[in-house]
């Protein structure tokens, strides 16, 4: 190490630390192990999340790597929520808030036990950003090694993943799929462990961990079941010892320029809209906040090179075979769109990591000269409905819905909107407005995969738009506009929309506006009743009091 004094000396060195050492002996540690750096191996292993059920094996591999490189690994836990299982009921209120619990718990375990460095082992949606937030906050040498993506399933000769299952429900409701076909699909859509197979939130964040420099190449795309994933975990365990010796810390890597690189890759990949929330939150912890307008600036100058599910048929395993995130970054570098001099967890800079990288499948990763579109996969819309912004996954919107003038169909909860969709009350040209589902209003800013997938399954995704102060799953496709800020619970203009109002959307021009006069909106605002939360107990009530708006990343203040 550059600095010979270790953090772990606070619990291991000196006569006065004899009681502390006695507890280390109680763990079965030897004197030799206590002379080595203490490396926290933070594993989110559990038996309820398919993306995490194998993380015990990843953790053992990472621990082996730490030992091989001269450290003492100490396994500690992190919680997690499976967004798919939590979808469509009260469980989804806990998903986004769990990110803050994860960050707080990692901070607690690392600082309470004086870890010298950390190997972070997440895989699914909120766990990845939660751990990265903690790494930026406590700023000890850290590296991410995720569990990897699930392989795709197969139904009717087509690639399938979780998003197909949610759409299958809509297809069944619309009598486009039989009950027997639905059962056959559900048994084949998700074939085994790993994060759901498309470019949904989990895989978006795992790829962006790699792009921003906090994970080794391959982290985002090597399949969960591949031996290569186990080897990568061992390499990550070994590499953390190199980072410790160099004293290379998260805030040395998580600079403003590194977030710009990550945003470029985000736009090129067409990542989940949730990546906006999470990158903003991580950047806040790193001390380099990102204004939402920055996303549009990057999007306007970054070509979209990938159309993975839900935007297209390809899965993350196909991206891996094409060369993975490095292949995407190589294409971006050809146009001078990346800062190649930035440090990364490999110990090399970005440019050195890309040396020798090739794009092995130009159908999956389009060459920079022939992108799917000249602009990025995400867009932030502004207007009188969303003065502080709203997010849409532009690359997953049908061309005919990029500009639209829709009739508002207004609902004050996800459940009431789904009921109307399944009852056939939503028609061509409608915009389903779901409000009071924001960070505070939800509380917890639920994902709206059920209504968007229902519309897609019923064949309405090219005819109907959605608007919410909640958020959408990375598996969502169609004109689904979320994260409206300020939210309805804070008196935002989305609370003023009435049934039948006209809403104009122009995604290429980053605009969304309610076609109602300013004078009329002012009158409606005077009659708006203050939000009264039905949540009175539990930690969600505390979250509700402390959470910021979506445009700030839904961080706790």
């Amino acid at each position: 190490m550059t600095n010979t004094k270790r953090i772990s000396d606070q619990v291991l060195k000196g006569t006065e630390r004899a009681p502390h050492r006695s507890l280390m002996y109680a763990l079965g540690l030897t004197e030799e192990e206590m002379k080595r750096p203490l490396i926290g191996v933070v594993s989110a292993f559990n038996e309820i999340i398919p993306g995490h059920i194998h993380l015990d094996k990843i953790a053992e591999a990472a621990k082996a790597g730490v030992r091989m490189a001269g450290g003492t690994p100490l396994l500690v836990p992190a919680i997690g929520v499976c967004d798919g299982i939590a979808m469509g009921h009260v469980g989804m209120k806990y998903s986004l808030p769990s990110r803050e619990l994860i960050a707080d718990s990692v901070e607690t375990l690392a600082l309470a036990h004086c870890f010298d460095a950390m190997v972070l082992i997440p895989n699914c949606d909120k766990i990845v950003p939660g751990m990265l937030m903690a790494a930026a906050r406590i700023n000890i040498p850290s590296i991410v090694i995720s569990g990897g993506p699930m392989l795709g399933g197969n139904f009717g000769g087509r690639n399938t993943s979780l998003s197909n299952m949610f759409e299958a429900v809509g297809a069944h409701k619309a009598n486009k799929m039989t009950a027997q076909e639905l059962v056959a699909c559900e048994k084949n859509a998700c074939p085994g462990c790993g994060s759901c197979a498309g470019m949904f939130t989990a895989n978006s964040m795992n790829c962006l961990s790699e792009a921003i420099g906090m994970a080794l190449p391959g982290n985002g795309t090597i399949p969960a079941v591949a031996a290569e994933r186990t080897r990568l975990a061992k390499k990550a365990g070994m590499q953390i010892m190199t980072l410790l010796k160099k004293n290379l810390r998260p805030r040395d890597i998580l600079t403003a320029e590194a977030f710009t690189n990550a945003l470029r890759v985000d736009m090129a990949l067409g990542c989940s809209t949730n990546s906006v929330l999470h990158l903003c939150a991580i950047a806040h912890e790193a001390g380099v906040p990102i204004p939402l307008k920055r996303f549009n600036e990057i999007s306007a100058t970054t070509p979209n090179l990938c159309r993975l599910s839900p935007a297209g048929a390809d899965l993350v395993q196909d991206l891996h075979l094409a060369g993975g995130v490095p292949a995407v970054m190589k294409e971006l570098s050809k146009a001078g769109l990346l800062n190649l001099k930035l440090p990364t967890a490999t110990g090399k800079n970005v440019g050195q990591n890309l040396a020798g990288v090739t794009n092995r499948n130009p159908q999956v990763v389009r060459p920079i000269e022939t992108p799917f579109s000249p602009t990025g996969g995400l867009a932030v819309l502004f207007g009188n409905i969303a003065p502080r912004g709203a997010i849409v996954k532009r690359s997953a919107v049908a061309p005919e819905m990029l500009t639209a003038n829709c009739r508002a169909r207004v609902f004050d909860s996800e459940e009431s909107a789904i009921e109307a969709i399944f009852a056939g009350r939503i028609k061509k040209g409608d915009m389903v407005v779901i409000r009071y589902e924001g960070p505070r209003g939800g509380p917890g800013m639920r994902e709206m995969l059920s209504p968007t997938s229902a519309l897609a399954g019923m064949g309405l995704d090219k005819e109907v738009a959605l608007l919410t102060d909640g958020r959408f799953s990375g598996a969502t496709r169609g004109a689904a506009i979320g994260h409206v800020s300020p939210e309805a619970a804070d008196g935002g203009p989305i609370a003023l929309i009435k049934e039948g109002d006209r809403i104009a959307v122009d995604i290429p021009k980053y605009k969304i506006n309610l076609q109602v006069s300013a004078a009329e909106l002012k009158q409606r605002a005077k009659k708006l009743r203050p939000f009264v939360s039905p949540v009175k107990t539990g930690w969600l009530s505390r979250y509700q009091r402390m959470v910021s708006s979506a445009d700030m990343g839904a961080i706790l203040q």
Side-chain angles (χ1 to χ4, degrees):
M1 291 178 65
T2 304
N3 186 348
T4 56
K5 185 173 176 60
R6 296 175 181 154
I7 298 172
S8 59
D9 288 349
Q10 297 175 78
V11 293
L12 294 176
K13 294 289 181 69
T15 304
E16 69 280 5
R17 294 298 186 243
H20 303 66
R21 291 192 294 275
S22 71
L23 293 170
M24 295 290 185
Y25 283 123
L27 298 174
L29 295 183
T30 64
E31 289 183 53
E32 291 78 10
E33 286 173 301
M34 281 189 268
K35 291 177 182 177
R36 298 172 179 174
L38 299 185
I39 310 300
V41 178
V42 187
S43 171
F45 165 75
N46 60 56
E47 295 184 343
I48 188 61
I49 305 178
H52 288 209
I53 196 167
H54 65 305
L55 294 189
D56 55 338
K57 307 298 189 299
I58 300 297
E60 285 302 317
K63 288 165 62 180
V66 170
R67 290 193 187 97
M68 283 190 282
T72 296
L74 296 167
L75 183 68
V76 294
I79 66 163
V81 170
C82 177
D83 279 18
I85 295 174
M87 194 71 66
H89 56 90
V90 69
M92 183 47 71
K93 292 180 182 290
Y94 287 88
S95 175
L96 182 60
S98 74
R99 186 188 71 184
E100 314 309 310
L101 285 184
I102 292 161
D104 290 351
S105 66
V106 173
E107 174 193 354
T108 300
L109 288 163
L111 296 185
H113 302 108
C114 296
F115 293 150
D116 294 301
M118 295 187 297
V119 179
L120 303 170
I121 308 177
N123 207 29
C124 290
D125 292 26
K126 309 310 159 303
I127 301 89
V128 184
M131 289 189 179
L132 282 170
M133 288 165 67
R137 184 186 302 171
I138 62 180
N139 203 34
I140 61 174
S142 302
I143 194 169
V144 172
I145 168 62
S146 302
M150 184 186 293
L151 293 177
N154 189 281
F155 179 73
R158 297 183 296 116
N159 284 338
T160 59
S161 66
L162 182 66
S163 64
N164 300 102
M165 271 317 310
F166 280 93
E167 292 182 12
V169 173
H172 177 59
K173 294 278 187 180
N175 296 316
K176 295 183 177 183
M177 178 179 281
T178 67
Q180 292 78 12
E181 289 173 328
L182 184 66
V183 170
C185 189
E186 75 182 59
K187 290 182 177 179
N188 290 282
C190 302
C193 67
S195 47
C196 296
M199 190 49 70
F200 313 148
T201 306
N203 290 325
S204 293
M205 294 311 300
N206 286 329
C207 287
L208 294 178
S209 298
E210 188 178 331
I212 208 166
M214 286 295 293
L216 300 179
N219 178 75
T221 59
I222 297 172
V225 296
E228 188 180 1
R229 173 65 56 178
T230 304
R231 293 195 297 271
L232 190 72
K234 291 178 181 177
K235 289 178 181 177
M238 290 186 280
Q239 186 60 22
I240 193 60
M241 299 306 297
T242 300
L243 299 180
L244 181 60
K245 289 174 185 175
K246 291 184 174 183
N247 199 26
L248 186 62
R249 301 174 180 238
R251 290 197 181 193
D252 299 325
I253 295 172
L254 296 172
T255 61
E257 293 84 359
F259 279 98
T260 295
N261 274 5
L263 289 175
R264 294 283 188 196
V265 175
D266 194 338
M267 298 303 169
L269 284 173
C271 289
S272 163
T273 52
N274 286 314
S275 66
V276 176
L277 279 176
H278 299 323
L279 286 175
C280 286
I282 298 163
H284 172 79
E285 295 288 357
V288 287
I290 309 171
L292 278 189
K293 289 184 178 180
R294 182 68 174 145
F295 286 82
N296 282 347
E297 292 169 1
I298 297 296
S299 181
T301 56
T302 307
N304 179 224
L305 304 181
C306 296
R307 289 282 168 94
L308 305 182
S309 176
D314 294 324
L315 302 176
V316 176
Q317 66 201 51
D318 301 307
L319 173 60
H320 180 62
L321 293 173
V325 174
V328 176
M329 296 180 73
K330 186 73 171 186
E331 293 293 344
L332 292 174
S333 71
K334 292 177 183 177
L337 294 175
L338 297 179
N339 186 328
L340 303 179
K341 297 180 180 179
L342 303 179
T344 72
T346 66
K348 302 175 182 178
N349 65 32
V350 174
Q352 290 168 327
N353 290 342
L354 298 181
V357 169
T358 59
N359 179 359
R360 298 195 291 267
N361 189 338
Q363 301 306 311
V364 175
V365 179
R366 287 282 185 91
I368 195 72
E369 299 84 4
T370 56
F372 283 103
S373 71
T375 53
L378 300 179
V380 183
L381 311 184
F382 294 93
N384 63 359
I385 291 176
R388 299 210 304 263
I391 313 297
V392 64
K393 190 169 186 175
R394 172 168 45 190
S395 60
V397 178
E400 53 265 49
M401 291 299 291
L402 289 172
T403 57
N405 191 294
C406 305
R407 180 173 69 117
R409 304 297 308 280
V410 183
F411 305 92
D412 286 346
S413 71
E414 178 186 11
E415 288 81 1
S416 58
I418 292 173
E419 181 184 355
I421 293 168
F422 284 152
R425 300 203 301 270
I426 303 302
K427 306 297 183 183
K428 180 179 179 179
D430 285 347
M431 175 178 284
V432 178
V433 178
I434 307 175
R435 59 194 182 188
Y436 295 100
E437 290 284 7
R440 193 165 78 87
M445 203 179 182
R446 289 193 287 179
E447 286 186 345
M448 307 285 173
L449 181 57
S450 295
T452 58
S453 297
L455 289 171
M458 297 167 80
L460 293 172
D461 57 300
K462 296 180 181 180
E463 300 175 342
V464 173
L466 287 98
L467 179 74
T468 182
D469 53 8
R471 60 197 179 93
F472 295 109
S473 167
T476 290
R477 62 186 173 95
I481 303 162
H483 305 202
V484 171
S485 298
E487 62 175 296
D490 287 334
I494 189 174
L496 307 179
I497 302 173
K498 289 185 176 181
E499 184 82 6
D501 283 346
R502 303 300 300 186
I503 298 173
V505 180
D506 192 333
I507 294 175
K509 293 184 179 178
Y510 308 107
K511 292 181 179 180
I512 181 166
N513 282 291
L514 180 63
Q515 295 185 318
V516 173
S517 70
E520 170 64 16
L521 290 178
K522 189 174 182 179
Q523 288 301 312
R524 292 182 187 183
K526 289 179 180 178
K527 299 176 183 178
L528 187 65
R529 295 179 179 179
F531 171 70
V532 178
S533 172
V535 178
K536 305 297 183 185
T537 61
W539 82 272
L540 279 184
S541 66
R542 298 196 301 274
Y543 175 87
Q544 191 168 52
R545 291 193 299 270
M546 300 170 66
V547 70
S548 75
S549 62
D551 62 302
M552 296 176 65
I555 57 173
L556 295 186
Q557 295 178 307

